[in-house]
């Protein structure tokens, strides 16, 4: 799954900030073996959102998903970004580490 990061999209910037704190996430797996990330809220201290590659429990996602089924929130973006970075680090050093990320201006 590719990710588009836009310097003009505030949500992209916040997703990077969230992904930078991935060390504070707690990772579990659901019954199907999918990773579930418990991601701390930026605005509500003490609140953890349950985030996967395609869903989140935050208000932004829950409201947006009613309007647009492709809606993603900053937490989902952060989880996708983090997963891509982890995968990139697992690849042999000979392959490009940046080809999976696209930066648009
Ligand atoms: Zn969210």
């Amino acid at each position: 799954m590719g990710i588009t990061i836009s310097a003009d999209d505030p949500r992209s910037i916040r997703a990077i900030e969230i992904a930078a704190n991935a060390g504070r996430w707690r990772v579990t797996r659901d019954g199907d073996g999918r990773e579930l990330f418990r991601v701390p809220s930026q605005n509500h201290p003490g609140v953890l959102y349950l985030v996967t590659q395609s869903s989140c429990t935050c208000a932004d996602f829950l409201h947006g998903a009613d309007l647009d089924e492709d809606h993603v929130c900053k937490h989902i973006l952060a989880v996708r970004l983090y997963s891509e970075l982890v995968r990139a680090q697992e690849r042999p050093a000979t392959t490009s580490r940046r080809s999976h990320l696209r930066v648009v201006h």
Side-chain angles (χ1 to χ4, degrees):
M1 192 180 316
I3 304 168
T4 300
I5 298 293
S6 168
D8 294 329
D9 177 9
R11 206 177 45 179
S12 291
I13 307 299
R14 281 194 219 108
I16 292 168
E17 288 172 0
I18 294 168
N21 286 316
R24 294 168 55 204
W25 300 356
R26 291 196 206 107
V27 186
T28 53
R29 287 182 188 275
D30 69 11
D32 298 326
R34 284 177 307 185
E35 285 176 313
L36 295 171
F37 299 87
R38 290 177 196 278
V39 179
S41 166
Q42 286 182 308
N43 301 324
H44 306 286
V47 173
L48 292 175
Y49 298 123
L50 200 54
V51 191
T52 71
Q53 300 257 346
S54 58
S55 70
C56 181
T57 53
C58 79
D60 175 40
F61 177 76
L62 296 175
H63 291 162
D66 286 342
L67 307 171
D68 173 7
E69 62 183 30
D70 293 325
H71 176 77
V72 293
C73 66
K74 60 191 178 184
H75 309 106
I76 295 174
L77 283 175
V79 161
R80 290 181 182 176
L81 186 61
Y82 172 75
S83 298
E84 287 289 343
L85 292 174
V86 168
R87 227 178 307 166
Q89 284 171 0
E90 289 169 350
R91 279 184 205 134
T94 49
T95 59
S96 167
R97 294 190 171 190
R98 294 213 176 86
S99 61
H100 55 284
L101 282 178
R102 191 157 56 95
V103 176
V104 295
H105 297 286

